[in-house]
Amino acid sequence: MIYIIKIFQVMLFLLKTLLKEEGKELDKNSLQEFYNACQFRSPLYISLAIKRLMILSQADFNNINKLSKELKIDGGEAISKYLTQLIKNLPYTEEELASLLIEHVAKEFDIKNYKELINLIVISNEQLRAQDLVEILNANSKEKTTLFSVVGFVRYLDEVLSINSFTNRIQLAHPIVKKQTESISVDETLNLYNAVFEYIDRLDNAEPIKEKLYFLFALYTNNFFKAVQFLHTVHTNKTKNAYTELKNAFSFPQNRDFFIDQLNMLPKVALDISKDCLNIISQEFIGEIFLIINGVSRGGGLELKLLKPLYNLTF
């Protein structure tokens, strides 16, 4: 508890300093309101609350101007009163506050399809770069955005989003965003899965993103023929890391039956191509894919579900 209070005191000092640098100031009543709203809250909540007070949009300034005229007070006092109103209206939970801030910053950067942007980051397991996200969004939405807007959006939301300095991938700086999207089913975002697959399908084979995401998204989108082709290529080239994201997907129990069913579609497709193709797919199934499933099954019988259709076609 003492640790949290000390963090809050530091945050409060930081808030006063940052606001003063930008010509904004909180009076004693406002500071008390902020204290009441944020005491005993997590450092993340306090940080998000400060960020909301720091980022004032044109709509905010219009409201401040309106408040100044209505109360016949100067601009500085109007800003202080308006900030007090914002503090009083802060959402109660971290999730709600993060959502409010994401929407607010998205408006500032004119990203109307920001929900799709967040969903793309999540469903790709944070493997996409800003330029990938922009291309996918613009190819599948009437609402266009720019690379500048997306990068600015992410950098302003550094409490919840970040850019990997080595790979330039957009990542979640805090799991709070992922929690908000965990309940979204594949069916609800199928158009986004299709959009990702169509995009990575066009990429050069040497692209690391294609190597990591291709097989997973081929399964997500029922592109079984292309999934078989990919397995054939993986086997021929002895490609590493081809199943990394499949392994991550299998770490979630709610995904396992879905992916077993999708994998079970592949042997028949392979046999329709040739017996040699089925033989190659079989080797991949009983190799690394089997090890992935065996690692999470723990006697649950997932391995048998995977191998039974393959056995029926082979023998």
Side-chain angles (χ1 to χ4, degrees):
M1 185 65 71
I2 294 173
Y3 172 71
I4 293 175
I5 291 173
K6 284 185 176 180
I7 289 177
F8 179 73
Q9 290 171 341
V10 171
M11 292 285 197
L12 198 60
F13 174 77
L14 180 63
L15 171 64
K16 291 168 67 176
T17 304
L18 291 173
L19 288 174
K20 193 170 184 179
E21 286 178 357
E22 296 201 6
K24 308 165 193 170
E25 196 166 349
L26 291 176
D27 56 27
K28 289 184 179 180
N29 290 333
S30 301
L31 289 172
Q32 185 61 48
E33 285 290 346
F34 188 80
Y35 181 84
N36 293 339
C38 295
Q39 65 176 332
F40 310 126
R41 296 304 186 88
S42 69
L44 175 64
Y45 185 94
I46 298 167
S47 181
L48 291 172
I50 290 175
K51 180 60 68 75
R52 175 60 187 97
L53 299 181
M54 291 294 300
I55 304 174
L56 295 183
S57 64
Q58 186 58 52
D60 288 321
F61 281 111
N62 290 342
N63 289 330
I64 291 169
N65 188 45
K66 183 179 178 182
L67 192 65
S68 176
K69 290 179 179 178
E70 286 177 352
L71 300 180
K72 297 180 180 179
I73 55 179
D74 63 34
E77 189 176 353
I79 289 174
S80 184
K81 286 188 176 296
Y82 184 73
L83 292 177
T84 303
Q85 290 178 7
L86 287 182
I87 294 167
K88 287 181 178 179
N89 293 325
L90 286 174
Y92 184 74
T93 68
E94 293 176 342
E95 289 83 2
E96 291 172 324
L97 184 51
S99 292
L100 181 146
L101 190 59
I102 287 170
E103 181 178 1
H104 183 70
V105 175
K107 287 180 180 177
E108 281 300 282
F109 285 95
D110 196 30
I111 303 177
K112 296 182 176 63
N113 46 5
Y114 68 92
K115 290 182 180 178
E116 288 82 358
L117 173 60
I118 296 296
N119 283 337
L120 281 173
I121 295 169
V122 173
I123 69 172
S124 68
N125 201 25
E126 307 165 51
Q127 295 297 318
L128 297 175
R129 301 158 298 188
Q131 60 266 38
D132 303 318
L133 293 166
V134 170
E135 288 197 40
I136 294 169
L137 284 172
N138 287 346
N140 294 273
S141 174
K142 292 180 181 178
E143 306 292 349
K144 306 302 180 184
T145 189
T146 65
L147 182 60
F148 172 83
S149 295
V150 170
V151 171
F153 173 76
V154 172
R155 293 204 183 281
Y156 262 79
L157 290 168
D158 54 359
E159 290 82 4
V160 291
L161 296 172
S162 66
I163 300 177
N164 187 296
S165 58
F166 295 104
T167 64
N168 291 324
R169 292 184 289 114
I170 307 299
Q171 298 177 297
L172 304 178
H174 197 280
I176 189 171
V177 179
K178 198 165 189 175
K179 286 180 182 177
Q180 292 177 281
T181 58
E182 278 179 348
S183 60
I184 300 173
S185 68
V186 173
D187 288 340
E188 290 178 277
T189 52
L190 187 56
N191 61 320
L192 291 180
Y193 282 96
N194 281 320
V196 172
F197 183 76
E198 288 171 8
Y199 174 73
I200 59 178
D201 192 32
R202 296 193 300 268
L203 293 177
D204 187 272
N205 288 335
E207 277 280 359
I209 294 172
K210 185 168 188 174
E211 185 178 274
K212 284 189 174 183
L213 295 180
Y214 194 89
F215 185 57
L216 184 72
F217 276 80
L219 294 178
Y220 269 131
T221 56
N222 299 331
N223 279 290
F224 302 124
F225 181 79
K226 290 192 173 183
V228 168
Q229 287 182 316
F230 182 77
L231 288 180
H232 196 290
T233 302
V234 167
H235 182 83
T236 303
N237 298 339
K238 295 181 172 55
T239 308
K240 296 181 180 180
N241 302 319
Y243 305 123
T244 303
E245 293 307 311
L246 182 66
K247 184 176 181 179
N248 290 335
F250 264 99
S251 66
F252 298 96
Q254 67 270 24
N255 291 341
R256 291 170 190 170
D257 285 338
F258 169 78
F259 281 111
I260 289 291
D261 289 342
Q262 297 299 88
L263 287 168
N264 282 342
M265 301 297 292
L266 304 187
K268 177 64 169 64
V269 174
L271 182 59
D272 288 342
I273 297 171
S274 71
K275 287 186 177 180
D276 285 342
C277 185
L278 176 61
N279 182 49
I280 287 173
I281 297 318
S282 300
Q283 291 179 56
E284 290 301 307
F285 267 45
I286 64 176
E288 192 173 345
I289 293 176
F290 178 85
L291 292 176
I292 288 171
I293 296 171
N294 181 253
V296 299
S297 180
R298 297 176 183 176
L302 287 177
E303 306 95 325
L304 294 177
K305 289 182 180 179
L306 173 72
L307 298 180
K308 187 176 179 180
L310 186 64
Y311 178 86
N312 291 339
L313 287 174
T314 307
F315 297 98

mmCIF file with all atom_site columns, all heavy atoms in Angstrom, residues 19-30:
data_model
loop_
_atom_site.group_PDB
_atom_site.id
_atom_site.type_symbol
_atom_site.label_atom_id
_atom_site.label_alt_id
_atom_site.label_comp_id
_atom_site.label_asym_id
_atom_site.label_entity_id
_atom_site.label_seq_id
_atom_site.pdbx_PDB_ins_code
_atom_site.Cartn_x
_atom_site.Cartn_y
_atom_site.Cartn_z
_atom_site.occupancy
_atom_site.B_iso_or_equiv
_atom_site.pdbx_formal_charge
_atom_site.auth_seq_id
_atom_site.auth_comp_id
_atom_site.auth_asym_id
_atom_site.auth_atom_id
_atom_site.pdbx_PDB_model_num
ATOM 1  N N   . LEU A 1 19 ? 1.500   19.522 -16.961 1.00 0.00 ? 19 LEU A N   1
ATOM 2  C CA  . LEU A 1 19 ? 0.425   20.465 -17.290 1.00 0.00 ? 19 LEU A CA  1
ATOM 3  C C   . LEU A 1 19 ? 0.945   21.902 -17.295 1.00 0.00 ? 19 LEU A C   1
ATOM 4  O O   . LEU A 1 19 ? 0.579   22.705 -18.165 1.00 0.00 ? 19 LEU A O   1
ATOM 5  C CB  . LEU A 1 19 ? -0.728  20.329 -16.295 1.00 0.00 ? 19 LEU A CB  1
ATOM 6  C CG  . LEU A 1 19 ? -1.580  19.062 -16.416 1.00 0.00 ? 19 LEU A CG  1
ATOM 7  C CD1 . LEU A 1 19 ? -2.592  18.996 -15.282 1.00 0.00 ? 19 LEU A CD1 1
ATOM 8  C CD2 . LEU A 1 19 ? -2.300  19.013 -17.752 1.00 0.00 ? 19 LEU A CD2 1
ATOM 9  N N   . LYS A 1 20 ? 1.803   22.224 -16.348 1.00 0.00 ? 20 LYS A N   1
ATOM 10 C CA  . LYS A 1 20 ? 2.355   23.578 -16.263 1.00 0.00 ? 20 LYS A CA  1
ATOM 11 C C   . LYS A 1 20 ? 3.183   23.905 -17.489 1.00 0.00 ? 20 LYS A C   1
ATOM 12 O O   . LYS A 1 20 ? 3.128   25.019 -18.021 1.00 0.00 ? 20 LYS A O   1
ATOM 13 C CB  . LYS A 1 20 ? 3.198   23.710 -14.994 1.00 0.00 ? 20 LYS A CB  1
ATOM 14 C CG  . LYS A 1 20 ? 3.556   25.159 -14.660 1.00 0.00 ? 20 LYS A CG  1
ATOM 15 C CD  . LYS A 1 20 ? 4.178   25.263 -13.281 1.00 0.00 ? 20 LYS A CD  1
ATOM 16 C CE  . LYS A 1 20 ? 4.436   26.722 -12.921 1.00 0.00 ? 20 LYS A CE  1
ATOM 17 N NZ  . LYS A 1 20 ? 5.027   26.852 -11.562 1.00 0.00 ? 20 LYS A NZ  1
ATOM 18 N N   . GLU A 1 21 ? 3.947   22.914 -17.979 1.00 0.00 ? 21 GLU A N   1
ATOM 19 C CA  . GLU A 1 21 ? 4.771   23.112 -19.174 1.00 0.00 ? 21 GLU A CA  1
ATOM 20 C C   . GLU A 1 21 ? 3.903   23.416 -20.404 1.00 0.00 ? 21 GLU A C   1
ATOM 21 O O   . GLU A 1 21 ? 4.355   24.084 -21.329 1.00 0.00 ? 21 GLU A O   1
ATOM 22 C CB  . GLU A 1 21 ? 5.624   21.865 -19.443 1.00 0.00 ? 21 GLU A CB  1
ATOM 23 C CG  . GLU A 1 21 ? 6.795   21.715 -18.488 1.00 0.00 ? 21 GLU A CG  1
ATOM 24 C CD  . GLU A 1 21 ? 7.590   20.449 -18.759 1.00 0.00 ? 21 GLU A CD  1
ATOM 25 O OE1 . GLU A 1 21 ? 7.185   19.667 -19.648 1.00 0.00 ? 21 GLU A OE1 1
ATOM 26 O OE2 . GLU A 1 21 ? 8.619   20.248 -18.083 1.00 0.00 ? 21 GLU A OE2 1
ATOM 27 N N   . GLU A 1 22 ? 2.669   22.916 -20.409 1.00 0.00 ? 22 GLU A N   1
ATOM 28 C CA  . GLU A 1 22 ? 1.776   23.134 -21.550 1.00 0.00 ? 22 GLU A CA  1
ATOM 29 C C   . GLU A 1 22 ? 0.768   24.251 -21.297 1.00 0.00 ? 22 GLU A C   1
ATOM 30 O O   . GLU A 1 22 ? -0.226  24.393 -22.008 1.00 0.00 ? 22 GLU A O   1
ATOM 31 C CB  . GLU A 1 22 ? 1.043   21.837 -21.892 1.00 0.00 ? 22 GLU A CB  1
ATOM 32 C CG  . GLU A 1 22 ? 1.985   20.749 -22.346 1.00 0.00 ? 22 GLU A CG  1
ATOM 33 C CD  . GLU A 1 22 ? 1.288   19.672 -23.145 1.00 0.00 ? 22 GLU A CD  1
ATOM 34 O OE1 . GLU A 1 22 ? 0.090   19.819 -23.445 1.00 0.00 ? 22 GLU A OE1 1
ATOM 35 O OE2 . GLU A 1 22 ? 1.954   18.692 -23.495 1.00 0.00 ? 22 GLU A OE2 1
ATOM 36 N N   . GLY A 1 23 ? 1.020   25.063 -20.248 1.00 0.00 ? 23 GLY A N   1
ATOM 37 C CA  . GLY A 1 23 ? 0.142   26.189 -19.983 1.00 0.00 ? 23 GLY A CA  1
ATOM 38 C C   . GLY A 1 23 ? -1.175  25.802 -19.336 1.00 0.00 ? 23 GLY A C   1
ATOM 39 O O   . GLY A 1 23 ? -2.126  26.584 -19.325 1.00 0.00 ? 23 GLY A O   1
ATOM 40 N N   . LYS A 1 24 ? -1.241  24.598 -18.779 1.00 0.00 ? 24 LYS A N   1
ATOM 41 C CA  . LYS A 1 24 ? -2.448  24.153 -18.085 1.00 0.00 ? 24 LYS A CA  1
ATOM 42 C C   . LYS A 1 24 ? -2.106  24.022 -16.607 1.00 0.00 ? 24 LYS A C   1
ATOM 43 O O   . LYS A 1 24 ? -0.962  23.737 -16.251 1.00 0.00 ? 24 LYS A O   1
ATOM 44 C CB  . LYS A 1 24 ? -2.915  22.796 -18.621 1.00 0.00 ? 24 LYS A CB  1
ATOM 45 C CG  . LYS A 1 24 ? -3.075  22.742 -20.125 1.00 0.00 ? 24 LYS A CG  1
ATOM 46 C CD  . LYS A 1 24 ? -3.183  21.297 -20.592 1.00 0.00 ? 24 LYS A CD  1
ATOM 47 C CE  . LYS A 1 24 ? -3.035  21.194 -22.098 1.00 0.00 ? 24 LYS A CE  1
ATOM 48 N NZ  . LYS A 1 24 ? -2.897  19.799 -22.551 1.00 0.00 ? 24 LYS A NZ  1
ATOM 49 N N   . GLU A 1 25 ? -3.100  24.242 -15.776 1.00 0.00 ? 25 GLU A N   1
ATOM 50 C CA  . GLU A 1 25 ? -2.824  24.152 -14.351 1.00 0.00 ? 25 GLU A CA  1
ATOM 51 C C   . GLU A 1 25 ? -4.060  23.676 -13.611 1.00 0.00 ? 25 GLU A C   1
ATOM 52 O O   . GLU A 1 25 ? -5.190  24.042 -13.958 1.00 0.00 ? 25 GLU A O   1
ATOM 53 C CB  . GLU A 1 25 ? -2.370  25.514 -13.810 1.00 0.00 ? 25 GLU A CB  1
ATOM 54 C CG  . GLU A 1 25 ? -1.710  25.413 -12.455 1.00 0.00 ? 25 GLU A CG  1
ATOM 55 C CD  . GLU A 1 25 ? -0.956  26.689 -12.074 1.00 0.00 ? 25 GLU A CD  1
ATOM 56 O OE1 . GLU A 1 25 ? -0.779  27.564 -12.938 1.00 0.00 ? 25 GLU A OE1 1
ATOM 57 O OE2 . GLU A 1 25 ? -0.561  26.788 -10.912 1.00 0.00 ? 25 GLU A OE2 1
ATOM 58 N N   . LEU A 1 26 ? -3.854  22.848 -12.602 1.00 0.00 ? 26 LEU A N   1
ATOM 59 C CA  . LEU A 1 26 ? -4.947  22.384 -11.762 1.00 0.00 ? 26 LEU A CA  1
ATOM 60 C C   . LEU A 1 26 ? -4.911  23.143 -10.443 1.00 0.00 ? 26 LEU A C   1
ATOM 61 O O   . LEU A 1 26 ? -3.854  23.238 -9.802  1.00 0.00 ? 26 LEU A O   1
ATOM 62 C CB  . LEU A 1 26 ? -4.809  20.883 -11.490 1.00 0.00 ? 26 LEU A CB  1
ATOM 63 C CG  . LEU A 1 26 ? -5.019  19.929 -12.668 1.00 0.00 ? 26 LEU A CG  1
ATOM 64 C CD1 . LEU A 1 26 ? -4.738  18.492 -12.232 1.00 0.00 ? 26 LEU A CD1 1
ATOM 65 C CD2 . LEU A 1 26 ? -6.416  20.041 -13.227 1.00 0.00 ? 26 LEU A CD2 1
ATOM 66 N N   . ASP A 1 27 ? -6.074  23.686 -10.038 1.00 0.00 ? 27 ASP A N   1
ATOM 67 C CA  . ASP A 1 27 ? -6.128  24.343 -8.739  1.00 0.00 ? 27 ASP A CA  1
ATOM 68 C C   . ASP A 1 27 ? -6.227  23.283 -7.640  1.00 0.00 ? 27 ASP A C   1
ATOM 69 O O   . ASP A 1 27 ? -6.245  22.085 -7.906  1.00 0.00 ? 27 ASP A O   1
ATOM 70 C CB  . ASP A 1 27 ? -7.303  25.330 -8.667  1.00 0.00 ? 27 ASP A CB  1
ATOM 71 C CG  . ASP A 1 27 ? -8.646  24.664 -8.979  1.00 0.00 ? 27 ASP A CG  1
ATOM 72 O OD1 . ASP A 1 27 ? -8.766  23.445 -8.746  1.00 0.00 ? 27 ASP A OD1 1
ATOM 73 O OD2 . ASP A 1 27 ? -9.561  25.360 -9.452  1.00 0.00 ? 27 ASP A OD2 1
ATOM 74 N N   . LYS A 1 28 ? -6.302  23.735 -6.396  1.00 0.00 ? 28 LYS A N   1
ATOM 75 C CA  . LYS A 1 28 ? -6.313  22.796 -5.272  1.00 0.00 ? 28 LYS A CA  1
ATOM 76 C C   . LYS A 1 28 ? -7.503  21.848 -5.338  1.00 0.00 ? 28 LYS A C   1
ATOM 77 O O   . LYS A 1 28 ? -7.383  20.655 -5.037  1.00 0.00 ? 28 LYS A O   1
ATOM 78 C CB  . LYS A 1 28 ? -6.317  23.567 -3.949  1.00 0.00 ? 28 LYS A CB  1
ATOM 79 C CG  . LYS A 1 28 ? -4.990  24.256 -3.645  1.00 0.00 ? 28 LYS A CG  1
ATOM 80 C CD  . LYS A 1 28 ? -5.025  24.932 -2.280  1.00 0.00 ? 28 LYS A CD  1
ATOM 81 C CE  . LYS A 1 28 ? -3.680  25.583 -1.981  1.00 0.00 ? 28 LYS A CE  1
ATOM 82 N NZ  . LYS A 1 28 ? -3.684  26.267 -0.647  1.00 0.00 ? 28 LYS A NZ  1
ATOM 83 N N   . ASN A 1 29 ? -8.674  22.393 -5.738  1.00 0.00 ? 29 ASN A N   1
ATOM 84 C CA  . ASN A 1 29 ? -9.864  21.547 -5.830  1.00 0.00 ? 29 ASN A CA  1
ATOM 85 C C   . ASN A 1 29 ? -9.692  20.464 -6.900  1.00 0.00 ? 29 ASN A C   1
ATOM 86 O O   . ASN A 1 29 ? -10.101 19.318 -6.715  1.00 0.00 ? 29 ASN A O   1
ATOM 87 C CB  . ASN A 1 29 ? -11.097 22.399 -6.148  1.00 0.00 ? 29 ASN A CB  1
ATOM 88 C CG  . ASN A 1 29 ? -11.500 23.282 -4.978  1.00 0.00 ? 29 ASN A CG  1
ATOM 89 O OD1 . ASN A 1 29 ? -11.226 22.955 -3.823  1.00 0.00 ? 29 ASN A OD1 1
ATOM 90 N ND2 . ASN A 1 29 ? -12.150 24.400 -5.271  1.00 0.00 ? 29 ASN A ND2 1
ATOM 91 N N   . SER A 1 30 ? -9.071  20.860 -8.012  1.00 0.00 ? 30 SER A N   1
ATOM 92 C CA  . SER A 1 30 ? -8.850  19.908 -9.105  1.00 0.00 ? 30 SER A CA  1
ATOM 93 C C   . SER A 1 30 ? -7.875  18.808 -8.688  1.00 0.00 ? 30 SER A C   1
ATOM 94 O O   . SER A 1 30 ? -8.076  17.629 -8.996  1.00 0.00 ? 30 SER A O   1
ATOM 95 C CB  . SER A 1 30 ? -8.310  20.627 -10.345 1.00 0.00 ? 30 SER A CB  1
ATOM 96 O OG  . SER A 1 30 ? -9.213  21.614 -10.781 1.00 0.00 ? 30 SER A OG  1
#
